[in-house]
Amino acid sequence: MFTLKKINPDILLKDLNPEQREAVLQVDGPVLVIAGAGSGKTRVLTYRIAYLIGVIGVNPYEIYAATFTNKAAQEMKDRIENLIGMDISQMWIGTFHSLCARILRRHAGLLGYSSNFTIYDRTDQKNLVKTFLENNTRIKPQKLVSRISAYKNGSYIPEDPEELNLMKKYEQIMKENNALDFDDLLLLTIRLFEENPGVKNYYAEKFKYVHVDEYQDTNRTQYRLLLHLSSVHRNIFAVGDEDQSIYGFRGADIRNILDFEKDFPEAKIIRLEQNYRSTKNILKAATKVIANNRYRRGKTLWTENPEGEKIKLISTRDEIEEAEKVVQYIFNSGRPYKDFVILYRTNAQSRSFEQVLRNYNIPYTIVGGIKFYERKEIKDILAYLKILVNSRDEVSLLRIINVPPRGIGKKTIEFLRDFGHRNNFNLFETLQFAENFGGIRANTKLRMMEFYENINFMREYAREHNVYEVTKKMLSIMEYRSYITSTFGENSIEAESKLENIDALLGSIARFVEDVDEPSVENYITSISLLTDIDEWDNKDNIVTLMTVHNAKGLEFPVVFITGLEETVFPHISSFGNDYELEEERRLFHVALTRAKEKVILTFASRRSIRPNSILSVSRFIKEVPEDIIEQDGVSISFTQENVSTVRYKVGDNVYHNLFGFGRVLKVSDGKVEIRFKVGIKKIREDSNKLRKV
């Protein structure tokens, strides 16, 4: 029962600037807040919800807020509760995927699923695909999974009949397993609403106020979902910045923010332009660079912060020297390690930094590297929990049916499958008949029946106990710790590490039990399934952080290294020849710059192992930074937009031309390069700024 405890609006609003206050006070109708980097967009969202609940008296249950990560959702919830001094646990706040999972748990039966469905991550999807691809060498599991996702998001249309049949097979098995992937969560919720107007109207009536963070990174499916949710009250409050739209490769559509007024012509547009994070020099660099983009609404960012240091530019021979200079800077700075983040365009670039950081004994963490929840022992335990919730989940069952070893090999599993298909049982159900099977060793039959009975016992146990108690009991019954020590050796480093990981998992489960109202196995599995890379990271320990620029979204650090600033690396070669994708690369660089509070260090290398036969050109983004705020260290860079590379081309070189695309050198003479492109053979000046090696 919600009890209104009104608070003084003047006290709540006193810390907001005029534009932030205007946004918070705009209670009715659609609102789009264009919030530049570091302008306090999270503060505006938080205070707006606090104002609705604490001043207007809106029931938290009638508010929905979409955040980009679960971590952001929890932080926002904590801040709102601190502002108004009230419990808002009834408020729906979280990612789009968590919203859809919650809705589908209630209404999955309308779509032919059971409410205890399992959510498959990419690893689970790949394992499922492997079960029916078998010896197909033409289509790889990872490729098929990626194309299934692209097809569901509308960015890929399969034309190959074999591939289309495989996609249909995937959907069939997913349905048999009572499993959904991440794309299904959104698409099935849309389908639920469109096929069941009563359900849609229930949620559209329920959510009187809909809020969206990071609106520029929503895709068209999420956009359709928002239109459904706001269809009755039309109180949608979207906060975003088109200059920070960087997830086009995941289907994010910048048109959602650029065309907001088309679906909401009565919308109020408010701009937040005061930056509270960065120095004047950092902001000057970011503003000048992003001004080169055409697909933007435009804004004028300003700050009252100090002018700050110039942006440092470090030139290096290769990625090893790049890593050495970056790590030396950190080592000699005298600052806490947690002040630093090393950003790069692709995950592969982390290796040289890891090597040198280890040489200097500097502690570090990688966001987006080998994730805790993808370690084998953790995946095993989670698979056991998933089976307790959904015994039809064949991917999870296959993972643990012989872990610890029970003598159940590939031939036995094929036998069980055949038996199940003939008698209309799923794989788990076939285990109950094990004692009647011929051709299987007695000990194996015994272990199969024991496994079946233990799972059923744990399923009953889970109905009366929280997920922490269930996990501890299950580890004991399945003798999983003994399996680890017997496999890797009781006193081995491997066993010790894996047992520590298990204890860490139990610790995180214990915290989950403390934080939620219903700490069931099902709720825990749902929350784990929806974790993102950044949800697993915190900045409490004094360690250096390494991550891609994409993962740095929404974060801030005193000192930011932006590395690998060469043409074909950042901007990435995949964006060449496509103005739209190149603008997204520039937005990515803009995001990287604006993560910094005090100092930015840019680095580039003349050579890189991923381009072993080429001398690399300095990134165009460096040249777009005003020269008067650059402090160069090493080889001097010319800040003209001409290509000053001393590259010499030779016959057989692969090249890229801004107009003609990819080609191969046929002849070099008299300062000109003869190149075969798809459009034909062209002669181009060797020093052309439009031509580069790849």
Side-chain angles (χ1 to χ4, degrees):
M1 184 74 178
F2 174 66
T3 303
L4 176 63
K5 176 186 174 185
K6 287 213 173 187
I7 60 176
N8 187 327
D10 294 331
I11 295 175
L12 180 66
L13 302 175
K14 66 181 176 62
D15 294 328
L16 303 179
N17 68 32
E19 292 76 24
Q20 292 172 337
R21 192 177 300 115
E22 179 188 7
V24 168
L25 293 175
Q26 192 70 35
V27 172
D28 297 317
V31 181
L32 176 63
V33 180
I34 305 296
S39 62
K41 69 176 181 61
T42 304
R43 168 177 285 240
V44 165
L45 263 175
T46 303
Y47 275 69
R48 206 263 186 162
I49 295 170
Y51 185 84
L52 288 173
I53 299 170
V55 177
I56 303 298
V58 178
N59 190 323
Y61 188 70
E62 298 174 330
I63 298 174
Y64 170 60
T67 59
F68 200 64
T69 66
N70 298 292
K71 186 185 184 77
Q74 187 59 50
E75 290 173 353
M76 186 180 293
K77 180 181 173 184
D78 292 343
R79 288 173 65 175
I80 294 168
E81 289 184 340
N82 288 336
L83 282 172
I84 63 178
M86 282 185 267
D87 174 31
I88 61 165
S89 58
Q90 292 302 305
M91 179 180 159
W92 288 46
I93 180 170
T95 64
F96 283 106
H97 289 98
S98 63
L99 166 76
C100 292
R102 190 170 176 180
I103 291 173
L104 290 174
R105 290 284 183 211
R106 296 183 175 186
H107 307 285
L110 294 172
L111 299 172
Y113 291 84
S114 298
S115 62
N116 62 340
F117 58 81
T118 303
I119 302 170
Y120 281 0
D121 61 20
R122 280 299 177 101
T123 302
D124 296 327
Q125 289 177 269
K126 193 163 71 172
N127 288 338
L128 182 147
V129 165
K130 285 178 181 177
T131 64
F132 62 82
L133 272 183
E134 297 175 342
N135 298 321
N136 190 322
T137 58
R138 195 170 70 85
I139 301 177
K140 303 297 183 185
Q142 186 61 50
K143 184 177 182 180
L144 181 59
V145 168
S146 296
R147 288 194 169 176
I148 288 170
S149 180
Y151 174 58
K152 289 183 178 182
N153 285 312
S155 59
Y156 175 72
I157 299 175
E159 297 178 354
D160 180 355
E162 181 185 10
E163 186 177 73
L164 191 56
N165 286 333
L166 290 172
M167 289 184 176
K168 290 178 179 177
K169 181 72 171 176
Y170 169 85
E171 292 300 333
Q172 174 194 333
I173 298 176
M174 287 286 286
K175 193 75 176 284
E176 290 172 357
N177 288 5
N178 193 35
L180 306 180
D181 59 34
F182 278 80
D183 297 310
D184 291 332
L185 292 174
L186 299 177
L187 292 171
L188 288 179
T189 304
I190 294 288
R191 191 180 127 201
L192 174 72
F193 285 170
E194 293 177 350
E195 293 180 358
N196 301 274
V199 176
K200 186 200 87 165
N201 290 336
Y202 168 78
Y203 288 101
E205 286 279 3
K206 166 183 162 49
F207 295 128
K208 291 185 170 61
Y209 296 92
V210 175
H211 300 75
V212 197
D213 195 7
E214 306 287 5
Y215 186 65
Q216 75 283 347
D217 284 321
T218 54
N219 60 34
R220 296 310 279 185
T221 304
Q222 292 164 339
Y223 185 62
R224 288 168 61 198
L225 186 66
L226 289 169
L227 291 180
H228 282 306
L229 292 176
S230 60
S231 59
V232 172
H233 302 289
R234 293 184 71 78
N235 293 326
I236 182 170
F237 188 87
V239 181
D241 177 14
E242 78 279 8
D243 291 337
Q244 297 183 71
S245 179
I246 61 173
Y247 286 97
F249 69 99
R250 290 184 186 169
D253 195 329
I254 196 172
R255 292 176 301 170
N256 292 354
I257 193 167
L258 295 179
D259 299 340
F260 187 80
E261 297 96 322
K262 287 185 178 179
D263 282 296
F264 301 99
E266 75 275 34
K268 175 77 172 177
I269 311 297
I270 300 170
R271 282 176 166 79
L272 305 183
E273 299 178 318
Q274 182 176 0
N275 177 284
Y276 292 92
R277 177 185 299 150
S278 306
T279 64
K280 285 186 172 69
N281 276 335
I282 293 171
L283 204 58
K284 182 178 179 181
T287 301
K288 288 292 186 182
V289 170
I290 202 62
N292 289 284
N293 272 7
R294 288 185 301 153
Y295 299 106
R296 59 192 301 260
R297 285 174 171 267
K299 66 186 73 67
T300 304
L301 293 180
W302 60 278
T303 185
E304 293 179 345
N305 291 340
E307 184 175 338
E309 298 181 45
K310 288 187 174 184
I311 290 174
K312 190 176 183 66
L313 176 60
I314 298 176
S315 60
T316 64
R317 293 187 301 272
D318 53 33
E319 64 256 55
I320 299 300
E321 185 181 30
E322 177 185 52
E324 285 281 354
K325 287 192 173 184
V326 167
V327 176
Q328 283 174 9
Y329 185 96
I330 295 171
F331 186 78
N332 295 326
S333 69
R335 303 184 67 135
Y337 295 140
K338 66 189 295 185
D339 282 1
F340 298 96
V341 65
I342 301 172
L343 300 179
Y344 34 77
R345 178 63 180 80
T346 60
N347 279 308
Q349 292 169 250
S350 70
R351 293 169 190 163
S352 56
F353 296 107
E354 291 184 75
Q355 177 183 328
V356 179
L357 285 164
R358 285 195 294 265
N359 292 344
Y360 278 76
N361 291 318
I362 294 177
Y364 67 90
T365 185
I366 298 179
V367 177
I370 298 175
K371 305 174 188 66
F372 176 77
Y373 290 98
E374 290 185 359
R375 287 166 164 56
K376 180 188 181 302
E377 59 276 14
I378 304 303
K379 290 284 281 184
D380 287 348
I381 296 169
L382 294 180
Y384 270 108
L385 293 177
K386 289 177 182 179
I387 285 297
L388 301 186
V389 174
N390 174 22
S391 62
R392 288 163 56 189
D393 178 3
E394 191 171 296
V395 169
S396 294
L397 180 60
L398 289 175
R399 181 178 188 93
I400 47 90
I401 196 170
N402 203 41
V403 176
R406 301 182 178 92
I408 305 173
K410 188 174 181 180
K411 288 185 178 180
T412 303
I413 290 171
E414 288 175 359
F415 175 86
L416 294 174
R417 273 208 179 112
D418 290 341
F419 178 85
H421 288 154
R422 290 196 309 270
N423 296 280
N424 200 28
F425 291 116
N426 63 51
L427 186 60
F428 177 75
E429 290 171 334
T430 62
L431 297 174
Q432 64 186 299
F433 306 105
E435 65 179 347
N436 301 320
F437 296 150
I440 298 178
R441 288 180 298 178
N443 187 51
T444 300
K445 289 197 273 188
L446 185 64
R447 299 297 300 276
M448 289 163 66
M449 292 171 62
E450 181 182 49
F451 174 76
Y452 177 80
E453 290 166 0
N454 282 338
I455 293 296
N456 279 334
F457 169 78
M458 289 304 307
R459 291 175 75 185
E460 290 297 322
Y461 188 84
R463 290 189 174 95
E464 304 293 332
H465 298 80
N466 66 48
V467 62
Y468 178 76
E469 294 168 331
V470 170
T471 308
K472 283 187 67 177
K473 185 78 168 177
M474 186 181 63
L475 285 169
S476 173
I477 288 178
M478 300 301 176
E479 300 179 328
Y480 192 84
R481 291 180 187 272
S482 299
Y483 156 68
I484 293 293
T485 54
S486 63
T487 302
F488 298 98
E490 188 166 357
N491 298 314
S492 69
I493 294 174
E494 291 90 343
E496 183 179 341
S497 174
K498 290 179 181 297
L499 292 174
E500 286 176 355
N501 288 336
I502 292 170
D503 288 335
L505 177 66
L506 285 170
S508 71
I509 294 174
R511 288 191 294 276
F512 173 84
V513 170
E514 292 175 359
D515 292 342
V516 301
D517 294 329
E518 296 181 31
S520 66
V521 174
E522 182 176 297
N523 286 346
Y524 175 72
I525 286 299
T526 298
S527 72
I528 290 300
S529 299
L530 298 172
L531 283 177
T532 63
D533 287 345
I534 203 64
D535 288 324
E536 299 175 42
W537 173 86
D538 65 57
N539 200 27
K540 294 177 182 177
D541 297 327
N542 188 28
I543 56 180
V544 176
T545 298
L546 283 71
M547 64 173 73
T548 64
V549 184
H550 285 100
N551 277 326
K553 183 70 173 292
L555 305 179
E556 63 181 29
F557 297 84
V559 184
V560 172
F561 292 94
I562 310 174
T563 65
L565 283 165
E566 305 99 33
E567 293 288 293
T568 74
V569 179
F570 196 2
H572 196 269
I573 192 171
S574 62
S575 68
F576 287 10
N578 185 315
D579 288 346
Y580 184 85
E581 291 183 8
L582 186 58
E583 289 209 0
E584 180 154 316
E585 292 288 303
R586 186 175 284 110
R587 292 194 293 269
L588 195 58
F589 183 64
H590 175 80
V591 166
L593 285 171
T594 53
R595 299 312 93 200
K597 297 164 71 175
E598 301 171 21
K599 191 166 183 63
V600 171
I601 299 102
L602 311 177
T603 72
F604 75 95
S606 298
R607 293 186 183 276
R608 198 168 287 274
S609 58
I610 57 173
R611 308 273 187 268
N613 299 318
S614 300
I615 298 174
L616 300 174
S617 302
V618 63
S619 171
R620 70 192 72 189
F621 300 151
I622 289 179
K623 296 181 181 182
E624 292 171 358
V625 175
E627 188 173 2
D628 63 314
I629 60 171
I630 287 279
E631 173 193 336
Q632 297 195 47
D633 175 18
V635 178
S636 181
I637 302 300
S638 171
F639 276 73
T640 66
Q641 289 304 307
E642 296 296 315
N643 186 342
V644 296
S645 169
T646 58
V647 171
R648 291 294 178 264
Y649 299 96
K650 64 182 185 296
V651 175
D653 279 350
N654 293 316
V655 296
Y656 182 87
H657 188 273
N658 289 3
L659 181 60
F660 304 125
F662 293 99
R664 176 163 291 187
V665 174
L666 301 177
K667 184 179 179 181
V668 182
S669 65
D670 300 326
K672 291 187 177 180
V673 188
E674 191 172 300
I675 305 166
R676 183 187 298 279
F677 296 101
K678 284 186 177 180
V679 296
I681 296 174
K682 304 288 183 181
K683 284 186 177 180
I684 299 167
R685 285 177 50 185
E686 195 171 2
D687 61 354
S688 170
N689 69 312
K690 295 181 179 179
L691 185 68
R692 60 186 58 85
K693 282 187 181 182
V694 296

